[in-house]
């Protein structure tokens, strides 16, 4: 049987074995895991990535709203539950590249203030164990890796008023607005607002592959133009010679040595067959919810409450953002846009119109299609509505609460308890959005509040900090208690802020790989 580390061995491991060995094993191939693999590529370390799913196929259905939303063709996650036993389908997607295969490619940095303690109507968002300046070089590297398009603030065209300091310009210019959105930008500026081009990871460079199609946000990209973790990070890493990938491999448990000081064995099922993996260092990047669940499943004599859970915080402080979809309708005007998701508004990020507390972020979504609206509504009405609608994602910070948490049912199934926090801020942000849109010429503004199944922005379940009694990880994502275990996904976030988390996960993955001792 061919050694998977032989010079001529393929990076996608096909050899069927009961045991594999590596220097670094990475569990999960989403933004955290794939970016970590990219950072370790070419290092000489034998890096093995374990992904519970396979490759998401490129096929005509990628661009079909009926297949993607109506039939939920690519939803392959198991049902999760609430504490009352209600089952729901989460936003998790188990593929190479993780949930980034269907994300909207919005890749903003957190604001500089997000790294400090921030007062809100209903509590205080805690400070991070490091500041924005420490992450900034890695933000810049992550933007280059994920080909982020954005706008450098300038007097001739003012940008985001909350934009943090930068060491250099964006790697690529902003994605241009279509005429309908450009007109919207002018209408918003006349209100004294500061709309700006949304930071997006898509391939619009010379020789570009992006078609600016209408099926980007929420859809897989059939042409590989979206900056997902597979396309931008993992595939290049696999070409470097020291990174290997095992697909269809679901990790079930992590074992430690008798002293409980190091992870010794990773247990998994590969296409239903038990396998074990040993490695000097283990990087857990399964997503904040699944990573916490795996640590809870791995309880042992040394860690009866869950692996590396001396603080009691594994699974706690789950944050998902307070999010709503807002559909603004002008019956007098059709919306002819194809690629709508190019504009955002942060004027209410640090304070609202009636107070000093933060409200959050507004950003355009990909164009809503009739198949995305509730099925009880007649198709003709849905089609007429979406033909005239402008569609927004409205997002406020979700504050950490230890009672919002991941637990396990007796059968091992994931249970999520989540009572939204900071709801007053979100209600005020929705009022501000309605007022803004009415003034922009939209007489009908409808809002739909997202529920517990909107788990795309999950964070906080393995929080990083300086005090091991109050955190699970150190500031470089290494476990306080198991010095060869790292958790590199949204779980490390002490707070959720009010922008999309993917770029911050990628930047922290680069920082942890470079500075956290993964190559020692």
């Amino acid at each position: 049987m061919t050694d998977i580390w032989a010079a001529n061995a393929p990076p996608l491991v096909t050899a069927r074995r009961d045991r594999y060995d590596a220097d670094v094993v990475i569990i999960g191939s989403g933004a955290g895991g794939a970016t970590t693999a990219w950072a370790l590529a070419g290092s000489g370390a034998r890096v093995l990535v374990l992904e519970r799913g396979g490759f998401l196929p490129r096929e005509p259905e990628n661009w079909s709203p009926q297949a993607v939303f109506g039939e939920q063709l690519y939803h392959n996650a198991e049902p999760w539950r609430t504490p009352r036993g209600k089952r729901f389908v989460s936003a998790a997607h188990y593929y190479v590249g993780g949930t980034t295969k269907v994300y909207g490619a919005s890749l903003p940095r957190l604001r500089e203030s997000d790294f400090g303690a921030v007062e809100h109507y209903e509590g205080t968002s805690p400070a991070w164990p490091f500041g924005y300046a420490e992450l900034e070089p890695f933000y810049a590297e992550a933007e280059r890796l994920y080909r982020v398009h954005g706008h450098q603030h300038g007097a001739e065209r003012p940008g985001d008023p909350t934009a943090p300091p930068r060491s250099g310009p964006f790697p690529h210019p902003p994605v241009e607005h279509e005429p309908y959105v450009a007109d919207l930008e002018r209408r918003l500026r006349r209100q004294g607002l500061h709309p700006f081009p949304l930071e997006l990871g898509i391939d619009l460079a010379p020789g570009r592959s992006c078609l600016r199609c209408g099926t980007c946000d929420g859809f897989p990209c059939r042409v590989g133009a979206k900056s997902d973790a597979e396309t931008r990070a993992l595939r290049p890493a696999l070409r470097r010679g020291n990174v290997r990938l095992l697909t269809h491999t679901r990790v079930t448990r992590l074992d430690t040595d008798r002293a409980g000081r190091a992870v010794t064995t990773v247990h998994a099922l590969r296409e239903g067959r038990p396998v074990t993996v040993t490695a000097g260092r283990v990087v857990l990047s399964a997503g904040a919810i699944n990573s916490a669940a795996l640590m809870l499943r791995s309880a042992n004599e040394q860690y009866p409450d869950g692996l590396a859970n001396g603080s009691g915080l594994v699974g706690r402080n789950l944050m998902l953002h307070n999010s709503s979809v807002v559909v603004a309708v002008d019956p007098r005007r059709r919306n002819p846009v194809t690629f709508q998701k190019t504009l955002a508004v942060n004027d209410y990020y640090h304070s609202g119109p009636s107070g000093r507390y933060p409200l959050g972020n507004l950003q355009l979504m990909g164009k809503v299609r009739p198949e995305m609206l509730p099925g009880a509504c007649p198709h003709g009405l849905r089609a007429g509505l979406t033909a005239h609608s402008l569609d927004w994602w409205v997002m406020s910070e979700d504050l950490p609460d230890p009672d919002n948490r991941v637990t396990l049912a007796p059968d091992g199934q994931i249970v999520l308890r989540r009572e939204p926090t900071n709801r007053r801020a979100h209600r005020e942000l929705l009022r501000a959005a309605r007022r803004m849109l009415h003034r922009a010429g939209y007489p009908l503004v409808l809002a739909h509040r997202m529920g517990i199944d909107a788990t795309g922005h999950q964070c906080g379940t393995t929080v990083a900090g300086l005090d091991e009694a109050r955190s699970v990880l150190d500031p470089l994502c290494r476990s306080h208690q198991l010095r060869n275990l790292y958790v590199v996904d949204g779980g490390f976030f002490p707070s959720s802020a009010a922008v999309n988390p993917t770029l911050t996960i990628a930047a922290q993955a680069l920082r942890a790989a470079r500075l956290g001792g993964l190559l020692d």
Side-chain angles (χ1 to χ4, degrees):
M1 184 179 294
T2 303
D3 183 348
I4 68 167
W5 302 107
N8 61 345
L12 177 60
V13 178
T14 57
R16 297 182 63 85
R17 295 186 168 188
D18 297 328
R19 181 184 176 92
Y20 300 88
D21 181 67
D23 298 314
V24 181
V25 62
I26 299 173
I27 301 167
S29 64
T35 307
T36 302
W38 184 87
L40 300 178
S43 65
R46 299 173 304 151
V47 179
L48 183 60
V49 180
L50 310 180
E51 169 53 51
R52 70 184 293 175
F55 289 93
L56 194 153
R58 293 186 184 179
E59 56 191 4
E61 289 79 6
N62 294 164
W63 288 345
S64 166
Q66 177 57 34
V68 174
F69 288 91
E71 301 167 15
Q72 295 192 328
L73 177 63
Y74 300 109
H75 277 275
N76 61 354
E78 77 284 8
W80 294 346
R81 300 179 194 170
T82 67
R84 295 186 177 183
K86 180 182 177 181
R87 293 158 66 93
F88 64 92
V89 177
S90 75
H93 287 72
Y94 302 143
Y95 294 102
V96 177
T99 303
T100 67
K101 294 302 295 182
V102 296
Y103 80 148
S106 179
L107 293 170
R109 302 181 180 197
L110 267 64
R111 312 295 92 177
E112 188 173 20
S113 61
D114 289 327
F115 291 83
V118 179
E119 285 189 56
H120 293 266
Y121 279 115
E122 299 175 17
T124 301
S125 179
W128 288 41
F130 53 88
Y132 172 81
E134 294 172 76
L135 197 57
E136 199 283 334
F138 302 99
Y139 268 136
E141 184 179 2
E143 287 173 339
R144 292 191 295 270
L145 176 61
Y146 283 88
R147 302 184 184 182
V148 179
H149 293 253
H151 173 64
Q152 192 72 5
H153 187 95
E156 76 287 352
R157 188 181 178 189
D160 177 5
T162 71
R166 303 180 57 87
S167 56
F170 281 94
H172 301 281
V175 179
E176 290 296 321
H177 302 316
E178 293 185 30
Y180 183 92
V181 177
D183 178 64
L184 169 69
E185 181 183 38
R186 290 188 289 270
R187 292 174 183 230
L188 297 181
R189 288 198 182 281
R190 286 198 291 268
Q191 299 180 36
L193 299 174
H194 303 83
F196 62 94
L198 185 61
E199 305 94 330
L200 291 174
I202 54 177
D203 184 9
L204 285 173
R208 67 191 191 187
S209 56
C210 181
L211 306 175
R212 287 189 62 123
C213 70
T215 53
C216 185
D217 193 359
F219 293 80
C221 183
R222 188 180 176 189
V223 296
K226 181 159 59 177
S227 291
D228 62 55
E230 175 205 350
T231 304
R232 297 290 170 253
L234 188 57
R235 283 187 179 271
L238 293 173
R239 292 195 287 266
R240 296 297 299 276
N242 67 311
V243 180
R244 300 285 186 268
L245 172 65
L246 278 176
T247 59
H248 301 289
T249 304
R250 180 172 65 88
V251 175
T252 57
R253 181 179 180 84
L254 305 179
D255 281 347
T256 68
D257 59 18
R258 291 185 178 181
R261 295 176 181 171
V263 176
T264 56
T265 310
V266 176
H267 295 273
L269 293 173
R270 188 181 185 201
E271 297 179 333
R273 177 183 176 182
V275 299
T276 60
V277 181
T278 56
R281 289 168 178 79
V282 177
V283 179
L284 182 51
S285 299
I289 292 171
N290 269 304
S291 287
L294 179 58
M295 294 170 75
L296 295 174
R297 289 192 188 103
S298 301
N300 59 22
E301 185 176 348
Q302 291 78 22
Y303 300 102
D305 298 321
L307 198 64
N309 196 20
S311 65
L313 292 175
V314 170
R316 292 187 180 271
N317 296 305
L318 171 68
M319 295 171 280
L320 297 176
H321 279 149
N322 292 299
S323 300
S324 294
V325 172
V326 169
V327 177
V329 180
D330 181 355
R332 302 157 298 187
R333 277 198 311 160
R334 294 182 66 86
N335 180 355
V337 299
T338 301
F339 195 96
Q340 178 175 266
K341 187 175 180 169
T342 58
L343 181 141
V345 174
N346 269 346
D347 288 82
Y348 309 115
Y349 197 90
H350 288 145
S351 63
S354 61
R356 64 186 181 92
Y357 293 107
L359 300 187
N361 166 266
L362 311 171
Q363 58 184 258
L364 286 178
M365 299 171 56
K367 187 71 194 77
V368 168
R369 307 299 185 86
E371 294 84 356
M372 301 177 188
L373 297 181
C377 180
H379 186 272
L381 179 58
R382 283 182 278 158
L385 191 70
T386 57
H388 294 80
S389 72
L390 178 75
D391 317 298
W392 293 82
W393 187 262
V394 177
M395 181 164 48
S396 303
E397 184 160 347
D398 191 16
L399 301 178
D401 180 342
D403 289 333
N404 287 340
R405 61 187 300 197
V406 180
T407 59
L408 300 176
D411 62 359
Q413 192 173 60
I414 289 174
V415 178
L416 296 189
R417 184 196 185 280
R418 192 239 178 174
E419 185 66 27
T421 65
N422 204 29
R423 288 176 289 186
R424 179 177 173 181
H426 193 62
R427 289 194 299 268
E428 286 205 14
L429 183 59
L430 286 172
R431 283 197 291 270
R434 287 190 177 96
R435 184 166 51 249
M436 175 188 84
L437 291 167
H438 285 319
R439 290 173 176 172
Y442 296 89
L444 179 61
V445 180
L446 307 172
H448 171 71
R449 179 72 180 269
M450 304 304 291
I452 196 170
D453 54 336
T455 57
H457 292 181
Q458 56 190 259
C459 55
T461 59
T462 54
V463 64
L466 298 172
D467 183 352
E468 64 179 275
R470 299 182 179 182
S471 57
V472 179
L473 309 172
D474 73 12
L476 292 169
C477 289
R478 180 187 284 190
S479 162
H480 287 302
Q481 296 182 294
L482 290 162
R483 300 305 288 171
N484 73 334
L485 175 65
Y486 299 73
V487 185
V488 185
D489 52 31
F492 84 88
F493 281 43
S495 65
S496 66
V499 293
N500 312 60
T502 304
L503 188 74
T504 301
I505 294 171
Q508 177 70 343
L510 295 171
R511 180 171 175 263
R514 304 267 195 267
L515 306 179
L518 274 171
L519 294 176
D520 291 351

